[in-house]
Amino acid sequence: MEKSRVRTITEVGLSIALFAVLDYFNVRLPINIAGGSISLAMTPILVLAVFRGPAIGALAGVFCGGVDLMISPFVLNIFQVFLDYPIAFGLVGLAGLAKKPLETAYKANKKSHIGAWIITSIIIAALGRFTAHLLSGVIFFASNAPAGQNVWAYSALYQIQYLLPSFIGCGIVCAVVIPSLLNYFWSE
Protein backbone atom coordinates (compact mmCIF):
# COMPACT_ATOMS: atom_id res chain seq x y z
CA MET A 1 0.00 0.00 0.00
CA GLU A 2 2.70 2.49 1.03
CA LYS A 3 4.84 1.54 -1.98
CA SER A 4 1.88 2.17 -4.31
CA ARG A 5 1.21 5.58 -2.76
CA VAL A 6 4.85 6.63 -3.07
CA ARG A 7 4.87 5.45 -6.69
CA THR A 8 1.74 7.47 -7.49
CA ILE A 9 3.11 10.60 -5.80
CA THR A 10 6.34 10.18 -7.77
CA GLU A 11 4.39 9.81 -11.03
CA VAL A 12 2.37 12.96 -10.26
CA GLY A 13 5.57 14.88 -9.49
CA LEU A 14 7.26 13.68 -12.67
CA SER A 15 4.16 14.60 -14.69
CA ILE A 16 4.17 18.12 -13.25
CA ALA A 17 7.90 18.51 -13.97
CA LEU A 18 7.49 17.26 -17.53
CA PHE A 19 4.50 19.57 -17.97
CA ALA A 20 6.66 22.54 -16.91
CA VAL A 21 9.39 21.64 -19.41
CA LEU A 22 6.92 21.10 -22.26
CA ASP A 23 4.98 24.25 -21.34
CA TYR A 24 8.15 26.27 -21.73
CA PHE A 25 8.35 25.20 -25.39
CA ASN A 26 5.13 26.54 -26.82
CA VAL A 27 3.96 28.49 -29.83
CA ARG A 28 1.97 31.61 -29.08
CA LEU A 29 -0.06 32.80 -32.03
CA PRO A 30 0.20 36.56 -32.66
CA ILE A 31 -3.58 36.88 -32.73
CA ASN A 32 -3.92 35.45 -29.20
CA ILE A 33 -4.07 38.72 -27.32
CA ALA A 34 -5.49 37.19 -24.14
CA GLY A 35 -3.35 34.07 -23.78
CA GLY A 36 -3.51 30.59 -25.23
CA SER A 37 -0.61 28.77 -26.85
CA ILE A 38 0.01 25.59 -28.78
CA SER A 39 2.09 23.03 -26.89
CA LEU A 40 2.43 19.39 -25.90
CA ALA A 41 2.37 20.27 -22.20
CA MET A 42 -0.91 18.43 -21.51
CA THR A 43 0.59 15.10 -22.58
CA PRO A 44 1.89 14.12 -19.11
CA ILE A 45 -1.52 14.86 -17.55
CA LEU A 46 -3.25 12.77 -20.20
CA VAL A 47 -0.90 9.81 -19.80
CA LEU A 48 -1.07 9.91 -16.01
CA ALA A 49 -4.87 10.20 -16.04
CA VAL A 50 -5.28 7.28 -18.42
CA PHE A 51 -3.26 5.00 -16.14
CA ARG A 52 -4.19 6.32 -12.68
CA GLY A 53 -7.76 7.50 -13.21
CA PRO A 54 -9.58 10.83 -13.22
CA ALA A 55 -8.94 11.78 -9.58
CA ILE A 56 -5.14 11.51 -9.84
CA GLY A 57 -5.26 13.04 -13.34
CA ALA A 58 -7.33 15.98 -12.14
CA LEU A 59 -5.05 16.51 -9.13
CA ALA A 60 -1.99 16.60 -11.39
CA GLY A 61 -3.88 18.89 -13.77
CA VAL A 62 -4.67 21.36 -10.98
CA PHE A 63 -0.99 21.52 -10.03
CA CYS A 64 -0.02 21.86 -13.70
CA GLY A 65 -2.48 24.73 -14.00
CA GLY A 66 -0.61 26.43 -11.15
CA VAL A 67 2.67 25.87 -12.96
CA ASP A 68 1.21 27.32 -16.16
CA LEU A 69 0.04 30.35 -14.18
CA MET A 70 3.61 30.86 -12.93
CA ILE A 71 5.18 30.39 -16.38
CA SER A 72 2.80 32.48 -18.48
CA PRO A 73 0.24 34.34 -16.37
CA PHE A 74 -2.67 36.28 -17.79
CA VAL A 75 -4.62 37.61 -14.84
CA LEU A 76 -7.77 39.71 -14.74
CA ASN A 77 -9.20 38.59 -11.42
CA ILE A 78 -9.18 35.62 -9.06
CA PHE A 79 -12.23 33.95 -10.65
CA GLN A 80 -10.70 34.08 -14.12
CA VAL A 81 -7.44 32.69 -12.74
CA PHE A 82 -9.21 29.68 -11.20
CA LEU A 83 -11.22 28.99 -14.35
CA ASP A 84 -8.30 29.36 -16.79
CA TYR A 85 -5.63 27.57 -14.80
CA PRO A 86 -6.41 24.96 -12.11
CA ILE A 87 -9.95 24.19 -13.26
CA ALA A 88 -9.14 24.04 -16.99
CA PHE A 89 -6.09 21.83 -16.52
CA GLY A 90 -7.82 19.79 -13.82
CA LEU A 91 -10.49 18.95 -16.38
CA VAL A 92 -7.78 17.49 -18.62
CA GLY A 93 -7.57 14.80 -15.94
CA LEU A 94 -11.02 13.63 -17.03
CA ALA A 95 -9.12 11.60 -19.62
CA GLY A 96 -8.89 9.12 -16.76
CA LEU A 97 -12.58 8.28 -17.22
CA ALA A 98 -11.36 5.92 -19.97
CA LYS A 99 -9.04 4.04 -17.59
CA LYS A 100 -11.27 1.05 -16.83
CA PRO A 101 -12.43 0.37 -20.40
CA LEU A 102 -8.89 0.85 -21.69
CA GLU A 103 -7.52 -1.57 -19.10
CA THR A 104 -10.27 -4.07 -19.96
CA ALA A 105 -9.43 -3.80 -23.67
CA TYR A 106 -5.73 -4.29 -22.89
CA LYS A 107 -6.32 -7.37 -20.75
CA ALA A 108 -8.61 -8.81 -23.46
CA ASN A 109 -5.89 -8.04 -26.06
CA LYS A 110 -8.30 -5.99 -28.21
CA LYS A 111 -5.88 -3.63 -29.95
CA SER A 112 -8.54 -1.75 -31.92
CA HIS A 113 -10.44 -1.04 -28.69
CA ILE A 114 -7.25 0.22 -27.06
CA GLY A 115 -6.82 2.82 -29.81
CA ALA A 116 -10.46 3.81 -29.63
CA TRP A 117 -10.26 4.35 -25.85
CA ILE A 118 -7.07 6.41 -26.18
CA ILE A 119 -8.83 8.67 -28.69
CA THR A 120 -11.91 8.82 -26.44
CA SER A 121 -9.78 9.87 -23.46
CA ILE A 122 -8.20 12.70 -25.50
CA ILE A 123 -11.63 13.91 -26.65
CA ILE A 124 -12.99 13.88 -23.08
CA ALA A 125 -9.99 15.91 -21.87
CA ALA A 126 -10.26 18.33 -24.79
CA LEU A 127 -13.94 18.97 -24.16
CA GLY A 128 -13.31 19.53 -20.46
CA ARG A 129 -10.56 22.09 -20.96
CA PHE A 130 -12.38 23.72 -23.87
CA THR A 131 -15.49 24.20 -21.70
CA ALA A 132 -13.54 25.95 -18.95
CA HIS A 133 -11.83 28.31 -21.38
CA LEU A 134 -15.07 28.89 -23.32
CA LEU A 135 -16.80 30.02 -20.14
CA SER A 136 -13.83 32.18 -19.18
CA GLY A 137 -13.91 33.82 -22.60
CA VAL A 138 -17.62 34.54 -22.38
CA ILE A 139 -17.52 35.78 -18.79
CA PHE A 140 -14.23 37.66 -18.64
CA PHE A 141 -13.16 38.45 -22.21
CA ALA A 142 -16.45 39.40 -23.88
CA SER A 143 -15.15 42.92 -24.47
CA ASN A 144 -12.53 41.48 -26.88
CA ALA A 145 -15.23 40.27 -29.27
CA PRO A 146 -15.71 42.45 -32.35
CA ALA A 147 -18.82 44.60 -32.33
CA GLY A 148 -21.86 42.62 -33.36
CA GLN A 149 -20.21 39.19 -33.04
CA ASN A 150 -21.80 36.63 -30.76
CA VAL A 151 -19.64 36.34 -27.63
CA TRP A 152 -20.07 32.54 -27.48
CA ALA A 153 -18.96 32.16 -31.10
CA TYR A 154 -16.02 34.52 -30.54
CA SER A 155 -14.87 32.63 -27.45
CA ALA A 156 -15.30 29.23 -29.13
CA LEU A 157 -13.29 30.25 -32.20
CA TYR A 158 -10.61 31.82 -30.04
CA GLN A 159 -10.22 28.67 -27.92
CA ILE A 160 -10.32 26.27 -30.86
CA GLN A 161 -7.46 27.99 -32.68
CA TYR A 162 -4.92 26.92 -30.06
CA LEU A 163 -6.62 24.03 -28.22
CA LEU A 164 -7.34 21.93 -31.31
CA PRO A 165 -3.71 21.87 -32.53
CA SER A 166 -2.53 21.24 -28.95
CA PHE A 167 -4.85 18.28 -28.48
CA ILE A 168 -4.02 16.86 -31.91
CA GLY A 169 -0.32 17.04 -31.06
CA CYS A 170 -0.85 15.55 -27.61
CA GLY A 171 -3.07 12.86 -29.13
CA ILE A 172 -0.35 11.83 -31.57
CA VAL A 173 2.20 11.63 -28.76
CA CYS A 174 -0.24 9.70 -26.55
CA ALA A 175 -0.98 7.28 -29.39
CA VAL A 176 2.71 6.35 -29.33
CA VAL A 177 3.46 6.63 -25.61
CA ILE A 178 0.40 5.00 -24.01
CA PRO A 179 0.60 1.66 -25.88
CA SER A 180 4.29 1.41 -25.01
CA LEU A 181 3.48 1.87 -21.29
CA LEU A 182 0.60 -0.61 -21.07
CA ASN A 183 2.81 -3.47 -19.85
CA TYR A 184 4.51 -1.25 -17.29
CA PHE A 185 1.27 -0.18 -15.65
CA TRP A 186 -1.02 -3.17 -16.03
CA SER A 187 1.21 -6.24 -16.02
CA GLU A 188 1.95 -5.99 -12.31
Side-chain angles (χ1 to χ4, degrees), residues 8-9 12 16 45 48 53-65 86 89-90 93:
T8 301
I9 291 168
V12 169
I16 295 166
I45 305 169
L48 182 69
I56 298 297
L59 177 67
V62 167
F63 284 119
C64 289
F89 285 97

Side-chain angles (χ1 to χ4, degrees), residues 37-52:
S37 60
I38 300 169
S39 80
L40 298 175
M42 292 176 293
T43 304
I45 305 169
L46 294 166
V47 172
L48 182 69
V50 163
F51 288 112
R52 294 295 179 219

Side-chain angles (χ1 to χ4, degrees), residues 25 29 76 104 146 152:
F25 298 102
L29 300 174
L76 292 179
T104 301
W152 288 92

